[in-house]
Structures are given as C-alpha cells and as structure tokens.
Amino acid sequence: MDDSTLATPLYQPHALAFRTQYAELKERSAAAGPLLPGTPGLLVLRAGTGYGYWYRRYYSAPGQEVEDYVCKDGDEEVLAAARDRIAFADWAMRQVRDLRKLQFQVADKATARVLVELHNTGLLAGGVAGAGGLVVVGTLGYMAWLNELGARAVSASTQDVDLARRQDLKLAAPRSFLQAVEATKLRFFPVPGMPHGLPPTAMKRSGAEGLRIDVLAHGDVLGRVVPVPELEWHAQAIPFYDYLLHEPRDAAVLAGGHCIPVPLAAPERFVWHKLYSSAARTGFPEKARKDLVQAATLAAVLVEQDDAVLSESLADVPVAMLASLRTRLVPLRRLLAKHPQVLEQFELALGRAKPDTARARRAAVSPSGRTPRAARRRS
C-alpha cells in the first residue's frame, strides 16, 4: 500500500483503564517468579502403586497434553503452592485474553512457550536489574513497546523470535541455549549456517510458517558468526547493535496466555535503528517498509504521548548511521501526514545533525578496516 493512501493516524491511545489493567498484569507477572508453561492445567492424584502422587496435567502446545510431577500425597505445603501458581496462571490467561480483545499486541502460543522457558532458566533476566540477559528485539520488541506505551496500532505479527546479546551474559555458569529451547518440547531444528560449514545461529520449527529463533549480536560485518560461549551457541553479527542494545529496559511480552518479563531495547534507540534498517534493506522493499512503519509509529507515540524530543536521542546515534537516516525523510513525510508534530521533530533532528567530518570518517570504518555493510533482513 502506498503511504499516500493512509487516511488514518498510525496509532490510537488505549484508554487509561486498559493501560492500568496491563500494568497490573505486568507487575504481578514480574513478581511471580518462574511461570508455568502451557495452559494453567489442573492437579490430578495418581495412586496406582499404593502411594499417592500429585501431577499437573496441562497442554504444553495445542493438542500436546503432558503431566509434570508435583509432590507426594500429603505434602500439603507444596500442593498449596502448586494450587496458587495454577490460580495465578489462570488469572493471567484471562487477563491476556481480555487485552487481546482490546487490541493489545499478543504473540502466539509457540512464542509464549519459548519465552517462558527462557525466562524460567534466567536467560531473559532484566536489563535494568543488571543481570545482562538476552534482549528481545525485532517485530516482537515493537509489539511489546506498543503495549508498554499504551498504543493501539495495526496488529503486528511475526514468526521470528529475535534475541540479541550486547556483551557477555552475566550467568553464574554456561547454559546451553539449545537445551533450553529443546525443553519447550516443540521440536526445533538448528538452521544450517551459510555458507555451508558455519555453526548455526538460529533454530526453526518445521514448515514454511514454523517459528524461528535467531540469536543476534553486534558486529561490523553483517552475517559474521560470533561465538557465544556462555550459551554454548553462536550469534549472527548485525551492525550498530551495540548502539541499539545500550541500557535495555525491563518490560514484558504478551504471548499465548502469558505475560512474560523481558528486557527490550530502549524505544528511542529502537526508532533510530529501525529507521536505519529500513534504508539498508535495499533488496527487500516489503521488509524495508515494515521497518519504516514501525519506526514512524513508535516515534509518533513517544512524541505525542510521552513528549519525547527526537533530537535528544539522536545525539548518541553513531555517525555512520546518519547519512542513511536522512534518506528516510521523504517517505517519512508521506507516512506521517497525520502526525505533523512528529514529522517536524524528524525534520529538525535530521536537519541539524552535522557530524564532525573526521569523526564521521573514523566511525564509518570498522576495526577491521572495512565499511560496515547494511543491516540484514530481519523481522
């Protein structure tokens, strides 16, 4: 669709009551500790061997019923705790269902299963808390920021879970990323590295629409495979991810029937990196447009609802990104026709950005002596 045909604003604010409902769900989920995977389920007593044992019966995925051991019959303290966790999971599921009806952004059940497992193993430990876990980026991060900022926009969807690592994760001991994903019982398969022989940096479920999980990291050379020894895995390098992932924020993702605490890239940095990515996707016009719309929509929410000043956040943008950002002004003028205040801020910010020439030359060249390539095709 051509930008000039857009006759409505990019977003609408949620009512205060709905934002309050989301905030309560997020707060209670953050304090809940490990989350129950799958549906809330129910407790069942098995006594076939002469001894009684309690199990939690639930669906870990649609059509996939499983039972997890809880405790021996008579262990009332553990049983009471299990009942409380199921009751919370049931309450959270109903809250997410209601928020979905109110047009909050909710990812699918497979995404929920992955994020719950990574949350429970500590790999998504919050950014503000300083634990240095993996950061949710890409379209899933955009969906989460719309919810966080109380904005209703055209529903986004993605079959990618993009997880980014800025620096060495602060884990007490190495944890196998592959084993954490396999614990979801969803049958992911490592995606062979390209060119042939490189270690995989992604996992995917079978089928053309199967969920894909990518691990990403900063790197000056697009696509270079970067080892992540603390996860016993590898990541794919993306230019300027060190900028994007600086000081992530504690937030949450709604998925399936869960509200999962996650770190997100700061929204202002998300805007500028998405705008840069939209310029860099020269061979993928649909992906470039999606990045542009996400950047413009999030910027509109920040400026109009949170009184953000875009020029302030531009100060930390790497000089090597600025030339690409300026090329986005023409499509932004069409896209932001209903948001003149936001467009004015983009015009002022990018028009005033005049980098020092010597600094620009240094920033435009990677440590290896090569100019960073364009950002890769990501959701």
Side-chain angles (χ1 to χ4, degrees), residues 224-248:
R224 175 173 287 175
V225 174
V226 179
V228 186
E230 64 271 30
L231 295 181
E232 300 174 359
W233 193 249
H234 290 76
Q236 182 172 143
I238 306 293
F240 305 120
Y241 257 41
D242 55 344
Y243 160 77
L244 175 65
L245 302 176
H246 182 69
E247 295 184 349

Side-chain angles (χ1 to χ4, degrees), residues 70-105:
V70 176
C71 64
K72 290 182 178 180
D73 189 26
D75 193 339
E76 295 302 325
E77 184 175 351
V78 174
L79 192 59
R83 288 194 176 104
D84 288 343
R85 294 184 69 195
I86 290 175
F88 172 78
D90 182 69
W91 174 82
M93 181 181 67
R94 287 184 279 109
Q95 297 299 308
V96 174
R97 181 187 61 204
D98 291 346
L99 290 171
R100 182 189 291 110
K101 293 177 181 177
L102 296 170
Q103 299 183 46
F104 277 72
Q105 302 284 329

Side-chain angles (χ1 to χ4, degrees), residues 3 19 50 67 79 103 160 168 177 184 202 209 213 215 237-238 241 257 261 287 333 343:
D3 296 331
R19 298 180 67 171
E67 290 187 358
L79 192 59
Q103 299 183 46
D160 292 338
D168 292 352
F177 185 72
T184 65
E209 300 299 321
I213 308 170
V215 180
I238 306 293
Y241 257 41
K287 293 283 188 178
R333 288 175 187 135
L343 178 57

Side-chain angles (χ1 to χ4, degrees), residues 302-313:
L302 290 170
V303 171
E304 295 174 349
Q305 302 299 314
D306 282 14
D307 297 319
V309 179
L310 295 179
S311 59
E312 293 178 354
S313 59

